[in-house]
Amino acid sequence: MMRTRPHKKRYPIAVAVLSTLLAISGISSPSWAGTTLEQIQQTGILRAGTRTDALPFAYVNAEGEWVGFSIDLLERIRMQLEQELSRPVQLELVEVTPRDRLSSVAQGEVDLVCESASFTFNRSRFVDFSIGFFKTGTQFLVRRDVQLNSGEFRVGIIPSSTNASAAQGYLRVAEFVRIPDRATGVLEMDAGRIDALASDGILLEGMRQSLDDADTYALIPQTPIAPEVYSCILQQDNLDFREIVDRSLVSFMSGFLNNNPPEVAIFDRWFGDDGVVPSDRDFLQSFFQETVESYQERLNNQQPDPIQEEPDAAE
């Protein structure tokens, strides 16, 4: 029930006034009419943007397969949509990058993006976000054999990333070098042009473990300097679709918390002791618990008050 295709070209901007406003942030207006659910109901296709280089969330493995934790979550969202819409739904994966993922959603090129994108208030001006499904934070990848000199500390940062802002606020005396991606950062580090690479800790650890000389590198500090919560990116004003996505993500987290085999198997495949990127189980379990409780509280607050019968009027 899944197929992949190349990333589409952007559609023309339909509304001049809105496009002018969104162009300030490089985002254009939607290219089709109708809600996301209406589109999926009509086509039977869930168009999902994701990454090819964000191990363990979405990447291409040695067999050429598109895999990852967020790919598994997208499959669960697809199944949830089939139940809600009472029709078959096919998952179509589309490659996106940090540079175009927001515009891809805002323009309607994809229905949602699920990978390693963090919620920020600035981004929420243009797109909507699901509940969070993973928590990490900014850390630095360094070579163990390099002596760090605080006066000449050069840090590779990816422009416009949340990690760049966090690193610049944390290391005020460092020199910051702009790099296009984490893979380039490792090459720059090995060439001695930077001393550290700033990114999300889980992504740096995933990349470190994929290297032939993984033990040459280390992550610092042990505790991330700034929290990051990953969420799916959605179009604004599609509350019914967002609720289905949220319900699917909560179902996964609740299943894991209740030790249901299917959900535990997914978690262990990516983050267990023998997983692709072993992670702190207790930390993530606490995050899942907080997220599920917050979601339930939100639902309770949306419930209408019980109808109170007014006393009969006096005769």
Side-chain angles (χ1 to χ4, degrees):
M1 297 298 292
M2 180 175 71
R3 64 179 183 177
T4 62
R5 62 176 174 81
H7 180 57
K8 285 185 176 179
K9 294 182 179 179
R10 297 178 181 175
Y11 289 86
I13 299 173
V15 183
V17 175
L18 181 59
S19 65
T20 300
L21 175 62
L22 296 180
I24 297 174
S25 293
I27 300 175
S28 301
S29 57
S31 62
W32 45 259
T35 67
T36 302
L37 274 184
E38 289 171 343
Q39 292 292 315
I40 297 172
Q41 177 72 69
Q42 179 181 353
T43 64
I45 297 174
L46 172 64
R47 302 166 301 168
T50 193
R51 301 276 291 281
T52 59
D53 62 347
L55 188 155
F57 294 91
Y59 65 103
V60 177
N61 64 17
E63 289 73 37
E65 302 168 323
W66 208 337
V67 296
F69 178 57
S70 62
I71 305 294
D72 287 348
L73 294 181
L74 283 168
E75 175 60 21
R76 292 178 65 95
I77 293 170
R78 182 198 66 78
M79 292 189 294
Q80 185 75 38
L81 283 165
E82 284 192 334
Q83 296 178 16
E84 299 284 344
L85 300 178
S86 300
R87 65 151 299 161
V89 174
Q90 186 174 31
L91 176 61
E92 180 178 288
L93 297 180
V94 182
E95 182 181 0
V96 297
T97 68
R99 182 169 297 181
D100 65 16
R101 60 191 175 191
L102 296 186
S103 60
S104 294
V105 172
Q107 290 180 257
E109 296 178 14
V110 295
D111 301 317
L112 77 168
V113 165
C114 289
E115 31 103 349
S116 54
S118 303
F119 166 88
T120 70
F121 288 106
N122 183 57
R123 292 172 179 173
S124 67
R125 295 166 56 202
F126 309 103
V127 293
D128 200 358
F129 287 86
S130 72
I131 61 170
F133 61 81
F134 196 86
K135 188 173 185 179
T136 182
T138 300
Q139 290 178 279
F140 303 93
L141 184 70
V142 298
R143 289 183 62 93
R144 296 180 185 273
D145 58 354
V146 172
Q147 183 68 36
L148 300 180
N149 185 329
S150 60
E152 300 177 358
F153 197 58
R154 299 160 300 174
V155 181
I157 56 173
I158 300 174
S160 301
S161 67
T162 53
N163 311 115
S165 300
Q168 289 168 324
Y170 184 73
L171 299 171
R172 298 184 182 277
V173 298
E175 175 187 352
F176 295 97
V177 180
R178 297 160 69 94
I179 56 172
D181 49 51
R182 285 179 294 276
T184 301
V186 172
L187 295 176
E188 293 293 287
M189 200 183 312
D190 289 344
R193 288 188 283 268
I194 63 174
D195 302 301
L197 170 62
S199 189
D200 291 347
I202 185 68
L203 299 179
L204 289 175
E205 179 60 17
M207 185 176 65
R208 186 191 73 82
Q209 293 188 23
S210 71
L211 299 174
D212 293 335
D213 53 348
D215 291 340
T216 303
Y217 304 89
L219 263 65
I220 59 170
Q222 183 174 359
T223 301
I225 64 172
E228 301 277 349
V229 174
Y230 293 162
S231 301
C232 295
I233 305 171
L234 317 167
Q235 272 201 341
Q236 292 180 332
D237 302 322
N238 276 265
L239 298 183
D240 290 343
F241 180 58
R242 189 187 72 183
E243 181 55 34
I244 291 174
V245 173
D246 284 352
R247 190 154 60 244
S248 176
L249 296 175
V250 167
S251 173
F252 166 78
M253 288 182 271
S254 297
F256 172 76
L257 293 171
N258 292 326
N259 289 316
N260 293 346
E263 288 78 15
V264 171
I266 290 175
F267 181 93
D268 286 345
R269 177 159 59 247
W270 305 112
F271 309 113
D273 291 340
D274 296 321
V276 175
V277 182
S279 302
D280 188 329
R281 195 181 196 89
D282 291 338
F283 172 80
L284 290 174
Q285 183 167 316
S286 296
F287 170 70
F288 289 167
Q289 185 69 50
E290 292 171 2
T291 303
V292 170
E293 291 176 356
S294 177
Y295 174 79
Q296 294 296 338
E297 182 179 354
R298 188 182 82 189
L299 288 185
N300 292 337
N301 290 337
Q302 291 175 351
Q303 296 298 323
D305 294 332
I307 298 176
Q308 300 292 331
E309 293 185 3
E310 295 184 1
D312 293 336
E315 293 288 334

